[in-house]
Each structure stands twice: as C-alpha cells, then as structure tokens.
Amino acid sequence: LSKRSELFRRFDPNGNGYLSLAELDKGIRDVLDLDDVFNCKPAIMRAYQSARARGRSTSKVSGDYVEWHEFRFFLVALRDYFGYFQLFATLDIDGDRRIDFEEFLLATKRVKQWAVEAKGADKDRELNNVFRRLDVNGGGYILFNEFCRWAIDAHLTAEEEEKNFGSTASKTMMEKLKEWEMGDAEKVFKRARRAGTTTCVTIEQYWAQIERQIFKLFRKYDKDASGTIDHKEMIPAIRDHFEAKGMHNIATLPNACEKYATRVIDKLYDKDQEDGLDYDEFTRCFFQLLLEEERYRAKDAEAEKRKNGQNGDEGDANEEEEEEEKKEGRGNGAEDQKTPDEDAIIDPKSERADAAMEKMRELQEINLNKTFELCRSTGATECTSIEEFWGDIKDHIVHMWGTYDQDGSGLIDSSELIPAVAAHFEAKGMSRLASLPGAAEKYAKKAIYRLYDRDHDGVLNFEEFAKCFFNLILEEETYRAKTPVSSRPSTGLSTARSRRKAAAAAAAPSSEKGPQADTKEGGAEAGDEEKAEVVQAADL
C-alpha cells in the first residue's frame, strides 16, 4: 500500500489528487519507465476507462479523472489490457489494429478457444458464427475493444495463453545451449550487470529472461502461426536486430535485411532445409543475436559512464569501471599485450579442444555439409565423406595454430593473426586486398576485438581461433569450388590433405612403401624437397 501511495504521488505532480489521462500516460513513461506500455495507447485508454467505471465519483469532476481509490484498478487493468494487446498484435498480421476474417482463420491455429472441431461445410459455418459473435458491431473486423470483451468473458489471460503456446515449444535447444554457451552468457551477464543494463541479479534469472525473450520474439514474427519463421517473416526480425545494435544505416539499406535473413535461414540455421526456422532453429539463432544486442547496450552504457566520469559526474563509478577493465585486459593498451589466463589457454590436442571443435561442428553443421557437397560436386576435394572432410579441417586448424602462435604462449594476438588473415585473402583470390597497406591488420583486429574474442581479453585462445578459422576455411573452399579448374587456387585445406598423406607415407613400414622405397640418396633428397614444398604450401 505504501509503495502504491508513493507511486500515486509521483504520478500526480501537482498534488490535487486527480490523475488525468495525460498524467497517467506521462507517469507510465517517466515513473514506471515502461516504453513498450507507453507506446500501447489502446491498452492505456481501456485501463483508464475501466478504472473510472469501477470507482465512485466523489465530486463533479472526478468522473473524468482517476482518483486514489481507483488507482489500483487502473494498474491491474493496465497489466491485463497490455497483455491482451500483445496477443491481439500477434494476430493482427497487417498491423492495422483490426482482425479481418482471413487473419481470424490463421489465428484459430493459435487461440485454442477459437478452434473448431467440425470439418468441411460445418466447419466453415461454425467459423463464420464465431467470427460474427466476436464482431459485435458487424463491421467485418474484430476491433481491440471487441477482442478485449471476448477475452474477459472467456477468462483469458496473456500468461495462460503464453503457457498454452509455450508448452508446445521444444526445450531441447535451450538445454543444449545451456551446455554449450553458458560461459558466453555469463560473460555477457557480468558485463551487463556492471554497465547497469540488466535488472537480473543471477545468471539463472538472466538465462530465464533470454528464454522468455526468444519465446516472445518467435510469437511476434510467426505472423501466420505456422510454427515456422519463413524468409518474409525473418526480414523484420533482422531489421529490428540491426536497430537494437545501433546499425540504423544497415537497417535502412535496400535489400540488406533481405540478404541477411536469407543467409540466416539458408546457410546458418535451417538444419532440416525446409526453407524456414522452426522453434529450435530460431532459438539457436536468436540466442546469439540477443547476446550481441546485450553487448551493444552494455558497451554503450559503459561509454556513457566514462563520459559522465570525465565531466565530473560519477567519477568513482568511472574509476571502478576502469579498474574492472584493467582486470579483464580491455583497457589501457590491452590490445598490444597478452593477458594469459590458465582457464583461457587450451592445448590443441586436449580433450577440451576436441569437445570445443565438436561443439563448433554441431552449431555449423548446415554450412559444413553444404560446403562439402559443393566441393564434391565440382571436384574441389578428394574427400569421399563428410567425416574425412571434417578431419582435414580439424588437422588444418591445429596446424595453423602451431604456425601462427609464434611465441608459444597459447594465445594469439592481433600481430600474430595478421599473416593468417593475409594468407586467407590470398586463398580467396583477394590478392589486391592482401597487399593493401593495413587491410590485414584491420581485419585481424576486427576478428579479435569484435567478432571472436568472447572473453574480451584482447587475444584469441584455441577455441576462439578455431571458431574464426573454421568459417574462413569454409569461405576459402567455397571460393575454390566455384573457381574453374584451370585457375583453381591452392588453399590451406587442400595442402593439409597432402601433408597428411606425406606423414602417413613417412610413418608406414618399409615393406608397405613398395619398390620405390629403396631409392638412392638423390631420390631421397628429391622426396625431402617435395615434402618441404608441401609444408611450405600448407603454411600459406
């Protein structure tokens, strides 16, 4: 009661005991800080009307305002009507704030109270009867107030409807992500807590919040209630993601969202190749996108804190922030120095490295399979199975790690990554870019500081390096497969197989080498030169 009294006082700045619609509107935005509710004017209006109807007038003017004894009714009604509007909005496919008969038919898949058991002509007749009962004014549309009247009579709550829908949503992918990505989520959570961009106090709360967000986003973008997000439905989802990351220019760029949506579905997450994302695939995709958005918000808030600290405000908080950055190696020249951590360093030949590689394969299985099939169809690989192809990739990543970790620290910084990036440019036929001053350096820093350095320590450990170069290797092989045989470049992966063959031949018993094994000294020297050429090509 005391909290509600304080809330009423803050809603009523002039202290006259009456809250107008404008004051309620302003209080929702400035006091409650609920922008989503503030933008939902139909819900605010319905809650305002409901609260005034429930209360008793104490003066001639009180009928036009919400008084203290009506304030609780307003808050309860606001919660309910906002929930109704959220459900209404998911059924209103074209966003004109009314549901026509076609949208109603699609909504019967989602709202179980609208489902009809009859079939054929009886089903059509019954559906028309249900629609007419909802369309109280006979205008041919179900308006929001008509929908609310039905929802109240049906004792429907947004929470119950979400529970009904959520019970059908698979939890398998979230359980897998908890096993695979909990470490990454914890890092983002800690940064968000430090920056003040989340109200969650434990990682369990934060994880549950992400799961809830994914569920709501799936309902929001699955306009036809088909249980699958197709290319058309994915476009606004990608556009909203770009906006959430502050990438307004890209969000408004012609065809940018369409291209990214196609890439997300066709190349990355549509595991069953059905031209759309089911709930599991959508979960896997948007888990990563939501973490990206959280990182952006936290980074933006950190910048704002530093700015305030420089202006003399929140100086102590800014010093604490800088101290935390020093600990994590994100400030004061961390780009130029390694900050080894026992947990970060991974032996490429350890079980931990194998587990990380297998996790990476499972997450990128679609892209891996597509690249292999393309290489097989064009003769760009000698591998006869996906397992053989994957084995070559793993061996090549381990070989590259040994080549580019020049100081043997178990971590690769931007200076060590530059020659690896330059070699990647060459393998993709981008020789001019490889020779462009600073190009490889910029990409190396981007790979570390923006894309793959998940623990933000300014360097890549083996797991982060493997994620980076797994994608780059697939890009190289795709380019090679699409290049005519006569001008097909030699990539690191193609020479990796030659290296493995040479190693196997060297390890084979002399009886298995055949007559050519007993060569003269000059022949042995020629063989050594050939192997040296193979190793040199592999290093490129």
Side-chain angles (χ1 to χ4, degrees):
L1 184 63
S2 60
K3 289 183 179 180
R4 190 163 69 247
S5 178
E6 172 63 17
L7 199 61
F8 184 86
R9 186 190 65 77
R10 295 176 66 188
F11 267 63
D12 183 24
N14 56 19
N16 63 2
Y18 297 103
L19 298 180
S20 66
L21 179 60
E23 288 174 324
L24 291 168
D25 205 39
K26 188 173 184 297
I28 290 169
R29 183 192 63 193
D30 298 343
V31 178
L32 297 179
D33 193 24
L34 297 174
D35 289 338
D36 289 341
V37 180
F38 173 75
N39 293 325
C40 188
K41 303 306 181 187
I44 297 174
M45 176 59 74
R46 292 290 299 174
Y48 168 71
Q49 293 171 342
S50 176
R52 289 191 299 122
R54 291 287 297 274
R56 292 175 287 104
S57 298
T58 58
S59 67
K60 292 182 179 179
V61 298
S62 62
D64 297 326
Y65 299 93
V66 172
E67 299 178 78
W68 161 247
H69 66 279
E70 300 167 331
F71 189 54
R72 185 178 73 85
F73 294 131
F74 170 77
L75 294 176
V76 172
L78 182 63
R79 179 199 64 190
D80 291 341
Y81 283 116
F82 180 69
Y84 293 151
F85 190 83
Q86 293 295 97
L87 178 57
F88 182 83
T90 64
L91 308 178
D92 176 24
I93 296 175
D94 58 11
D96 63 353
R97 294 194 174 181
R98 55 186 185 178
I99 299 173
D100 59 27
F101 188 68
E102 183 178 349
E103 292 169 329
F104 167 77
L105 293 178
L106 291 172
T108 57
K109 300 177 183 178
R110 179 171 291 171
V111 184
K112 65 177 184 178
Q113 290 89 338
W114 292 355
V116 173
E117 297 295 334
K119 297 181 180 180
D122 292 337
K123 180 177 181 179
D124 294 339
R125 191 180 309 109
E126 185 61 28
L127 285 170
N128 273 289
N129 291 337
V130 173
F131 184 81
R132 281 199 297 269
R133 285 198 300 271
L134 291 165
D135 180 20
V136 177
N137 66 2
Y141 299 94
I142 301 172
L143 305 178
F144 179 59
N145 64 329
E146 295 170 334
F147 177 81
C148 290
R149 190 178 296 116
W150 166 81
I152 293 170
D153 292 341
H155 303 289
L156 179 73
T157 64
E159 290 81 2
E160 183 64 26
E161 184 59 29
E162 288 183 354
K163 182 180 177 181
N164 294 333
F165 183 83
S167 63
T168 64
S170 170
K171 302 294 183 182
T172 305
M173 184 51 64
M174 285 304 295
E175 291 172 358
K176 286 184 178 180
L177 288 172
K178 186 171 286 189
E179 178 184 349
W180 295 337
E181 303 291 352
M182 178 58 84
D184 198 15
E186 284 180 338
K187 290 166 188 171
V188 175
F189 167 66
K190 288 178 182 178
R191 188 172 187 181
R193 282 280 293 167
R194 187 170 59 246
T197 56
T198 180
T199 57
C200 298
V201 295
T202 66
I203 184 60
E204 289 76 16
Q205 290 178 347
Y206 188 67
W207 190 270
Q209 183 186 74
I210 291 176
E211 189 171 4
R212 192 67 177 169
Q213 281 181 282
I214 291 172
F215 167 69
K216 288 184 176 181
L217 289 171
F218 188 83
R219 286 195 55 177
K220 176 181 178 181
Y221 298 119
D222 183 21
K223 292 295 187 180
D224 59 3
S226 64
T228 301
I229 306 293
D230 60 25
H231 290 75
K232 185 178 179 181
E233 292 168 330
M234 181 59 78
I235 292 171
I238 297 301
R239 183 176 293 112
D240 291 346
H241 169 66
F242 284 153
E243 292 285 355
K245 285 187 65 179
M247 302 163 67
H248 310 294
N249 292 338
I250 296 180
T252 57
L253 199 65
N255 300 323
C257 296
E258 289 85 343
K259 288 180 179 179
Y260 194 89
T262 300
R263 179 173 181 264
V264 163
I265 290 179
D266 292 345
K267 291 188 176 182
L268 299 180
Y269 295 103
D270 183 19
K271 192 171 183 179
D272 53 16
Q273 302 293 291
E274 293 186 353
D275 294 326
L277 302 185
D278 60 24
Y279 189 77
D280 269 5
E281 293 164 342
F282 183 86
T283 297
R284 199 175 87 188
C285 171
F286 269 81
F287 177 84
Q288 299 295 339
L289 299 188
L290 288 174
L291 289 188
E292 288 179 14
E293 293 173 15
E294 189 68 75
R295 284 193 192 95
Y296 171 79
R297 285 192 294 270
K299 184 178 179 181
D300 196 43
E302 288 169 353
E304 188 65 26
K305 279 187 176 183
R306 284 192 289 271
K307 179 181 177 182
N308 291 336
Q310 290 168 1
N311 292 332
D313 300 327
E314 301 181 10
D316 294 338
N318 187 55
E319 289 178 9
E320 182 181 344
E321 177 70 20
E322 289 182 356
E323 183 64 28
E324 195 68 35
E325 286 188 351
K326 289 178 185 178
K327 291 179 182 178
E328 294 195 2
R330 291 186 291 110
N332 295 334
E335 292 181 3
D336 299 323
Q337 58 183 343
K338 296 186 180 183
T339 54
D341 184 346
E342 290 184 5
D343 293 333
I345 297 175
I346 303 174
D347 183 354
K349 298 180 180 180
S350 66
E351 292 183 1
R352 183 180 171 190
D354 287 340
M357 296 279 271
E358 291 304 321
K359 179 181 76 172
M360 179 177 66
R361 176 185 177 176
E362 186 164 356
L363 289 172
Q364 295 279 10
E365 189 173 1
I366 300 168
N367 212 7
L368 175 66
N369 290 339
K370 284 188 173 182
T371 304
F372 171 65
E373 292 300 330
L374 176 63
C375 291
R376 281 285 292 165
S377 63
T378 59
T381 180
E382 297 178 12
C383 298
T384 58
S385 69
I386 187 66
E387 294 301 327
E388 198 175 357
F389 189 67
W390 169 241
D392 282 354
I393 290 176
K394 288 201 298 183
D395 286 351
H396 184 45
I397 289 174
V398 172
H399 176 76
M400 290 177 67
W401 176 263
T403 300
Y404 296 116
D405 182 20
Q406 296 172 1
D407 59 6
S409 64
L411 299 167
I412 288 183
D413 60 24
S414 60
S415 64
E416 292 172 320
L417 197 61
I418 291 172
V421 171
H424 167 66
F425 288 158
E426 292 285 356
K428 284 190 67 179
M430 302 160 66
S431 304
R432 292 181 62 186
L433 184 59
S435 60
L436 196 66
E441 181 180 359
K442 286 182 180 179
Y443 191 94
K445 288 185 176 181
K446 179 183 177 184
I448 289 182
Y449 303 118
R450 291 183 57 188
L451 299 178
Y452 296 102
D453 179 23
R454 293 303 179 90
D455 52 10
H456 306 290
D457 59 359
V459 289
L460 298 184
N461 64 14
F462 178 75
E463 182 177 359
E464 294 164 338
F465 178 87
K467 284 183 179 179
C468 173
F469 275 87
F470 175 77
N471 291 318
L472 298 187
I473 288 170
L474 293 187
E475 287 180 12
E476 292 173 11
E477 293 307 304
T478 299
Y479 171 78
R480 186 168 185 268
K482 293 180 177 180
T483 304
V485 178
S486 58
S487 56
R488 185 169 287 169
S490 175
T491 62
L493 191 62
S494 63
T495 55
R497 187 163 182 78
S498 299
R499 185 172 57 250
R500 290 177 67 190
K501 285 182 177 180
S510 58
S511 60
E512 295 181 9
K513 295 181 181 180
Q516 293 182 353
D518 298 327
T519 57
K520 295 182 180 180
E521 186 176 351
E525 291 176 356
D528 291 339
E529 291 176 2
E530 183 180 349
K531 283 191 286 184
E533 290 177 0
V534 169
V535 172
Q536 185 180 6
D539 289 342
L540 294 177

